[in-house]
Amino acid sequence: MKLLTRILSRLVKACLVLLAILVLNFILIHMAPGDPAKVMAGEAGATDELFLQQLREKFGLDQPFYIQLWRYISGVMQFDLGYSYRQQMPVIDLILDRLPATLLLTGTAFIVSLVLGVLAGVLAASRVGRWSDTLISSIALLFYATPLFWAALMGVLLFSVTLGWLPPFGYETVGSNLTGFARMGDIAAHLVLPALSLGLFFMAVYSRMTRASMLEVAQMDFVKTARAKGLAPGVIERRHILRNALLPIVTLAGLQAGQLVGGAVLTETVFAWPGIGRLMFEALTQRDYNVLLGVFFVSAAMVIVFNLITDVIYGIVDPRIRLER
């Protein structure tokens, strides 16, 4: 019953947070300059006032603000995120069409950055003060200080233009009509550069945080006791130091997982990756408010979901947290 009550409590809080985000985003988007009706009219080649009024009536833009807000919230509660002015199709269909590509990119970048970052941090902490520790820390600092767009462009110039090893842009080869494993291999080749570009920054963060956390835990009394008992250094490092040092890494990973979904705008734009980040950028330039609101809502929902998953992982990594709750 305690577990069920705790889960229900967190779900209620998550719903309230989502509602607050929904209202705030709606207010901010409608405060932005620009008239969607004028954008649509300009694309249609007509700018007379009668046509503008017809467009506003068609999409409900002539209604008072509070009515528009209530209609939007009611629609979201029914899993209706509105209609795209530009694409002439429901927003939920647009997002569901682009979301798999974003999840593939961000999921790959997340796994690569987490695994390589933790491994590099463990290696640096176990060789503290040596040349390998200095090398790993220097490389991590270099990746941390390098702008994402510059690393992406340099990767395209080196591995695509100069060496010709990897495709520079897109999700898959246009017109190849590949199927099965051949198509999977083609998508994987297109995925390498954007995933590495997106994961380099967080890989550096994981590396430095893992090293610092392990060095801090290594000075605690329970580790000294384990050494006094004569346990093997490898056992002490895995079962005592690393496990306790993982808690801040889990916290950062939970935050990063949510940020990556909505934060891949630059990477998807540079590599022409057909995800929701690029969809959001296109909607921003086209004043397509409903698409922007839909992407913001989905991104916020995924951040909250990842935070709930992080809380569960806390209890797995450190049973003391599970017992205290």
Side-chain angles (χ1 to χ4, degrees):
M1 288 300 296
K2 287 184 178 181
L3 178 61
L4 181 60
T5 302
R6 185 165 63 246
I7 293 176
L8 291 176
S9 174
R10 290 180 181 275
L11 288 176
V12 170
K13 292 178 181 178
C15 291
L16 293 177
V17 170
L18 275 178
L19 178 61
I21 292 174
L22 193 68
V23 174
L24 181 61
N25 284 338
F26 192 89
I27 294 173
L28 292 177
I29 289 295
H30 281 71
M31 288 176 60
D35 186 354
K38 291 183 178 180
V39 175
M40 289 182 286
E43 293 170 354
T47 57
D48 61 279
E49 191 60 35
L50 178 60
F51 185 65
L52 290 175
Q53 183 62 29
Q54 291 174 348
L55 286 176
R56 293 190 181 100
E57 292 176 358
K58 178 180 179 181
F59 295 104
L61 299 175
D62 61 330
Q63 299 294 326
F65 174 79
Y66 66 92
I67 294 180
Q68 294 185 48
L69 176 60
W70 172 249
R71 286 181 175 178
Y72 185 75
I73 294 177
S74 302
V76 172
M77 294 176 65
Q78 301 173 24
F79 301 100
D80 179 11
L81 298 181
Y83 195 80
S84 170
Y85 312 134
R86 171 75 175 186
Q87 305 294 335
Q88 295 294 307
M89 62 185 300
V91 174
I92 188 66
D93 293 340
L94 276 173
I95 293 178
L96 291 178
D97 182 57
R98 299 286 192 100
L99 188 59
T102 292
L103 292 178
L104 176 62
L105 172 60
T106 56
T108 304
F110 175 77
I111 294 173
V112 169
S113 62
L114 182 61
V115 173
L116 295 182
V118 171
L119 288 177
V122 171
L123 184 62
S126 61
R127 290 166 173 77
V128 61
R130 303 180 186 178
W131 68 268
S132 55
D133 175 32
T134 304
L135 179 62
I136 292 173
S137 299
S138 300
I139 294 176
L141 181 61
L142 176 64
F143 287 158
Y144 183 80
T146 302
L148 176 61
F149 72 91
W150 188 87
L153 292 176
M154 291 302 103
V156 171
L157 288 176
L158 177 61
F159 296 105
S160 299
V161 178
T162 304
L163 299 176
W165 292 354
L166 297 169
F169 307 110
Y171 182 76
E172 57 184 318
T173 303
V174 178
S176 60
N177 297 321
L178 298 175
T179 58
F181 288 106
R183 183 169 183 262
M184 292 174 60
D186 184 48
I187 295 175
H190 285 79
L191 179 64
V192 173
L193 280 178
L196 286 179
S197 300
L198 186 59
L200 281 179
F201 173 82
F202 284 100
M203 184 178 69
V205 175
Y206 289 138
S207 174
R208 294 179 65 84
M209 181 170 288
T210 302
R211 178 184 181 277
S213 183
M214 289 187 66
L215 292 179
E216 181 182 358
V217 173
Q219 303 302 318
M220 294 184 175
D221 292 338
F222 69 89
V223 177
K224 297 177 181 178
T225 302
R227 291 196 183 102
K229 289 181 177 180
L231 293 179
V235 174
I236 295 175
E237 185 172 302
R238 290 193 308 272
R239 297 184 180 179
H240 293 76
I241 299 178
L242 180 58
R243 183 167 185 177
N244 287 276
L246 281 179
L247 284 178
I249 309 301
V250 171
T251 303
L252 179 63
L255 294 174
Q256 181 217 359
Q259 291 174 354
L260 279 175
V261 174
V265 180
L266 187 58
T267 305
E268 292 183 359
T269 303
V270 170
F271 290 99
W273 191 263
I276 62 173
R278 189 179 175 198
L279 175 65
M280 181 171 62
F281 178 76
E282 294 170 352
L284 180 63
T285 59
Q286 298 161 1
R287 300 292 193 275
D288 201 341
Y289 291 158
N290 285 340
V291 174
L292 282 174
L293 289 171
V295 174
F296 291 160
F297 175 75
V298 171
S299 300
M302 299 195 72
V303 170
I304 293 175
V305 169
F306 284 126
N307 285 335
L308 293 176
I309 295 175
T310 303
D311 288 340
V312 175
I313 296 177
Y314 267 166
I316 298 175
V317 175
D318 192 345
R320 294 172 300 178
I321 297 178
R322 184 172 65 245
L323 292 173
E324 290 175 0
R325 294 178 181 178

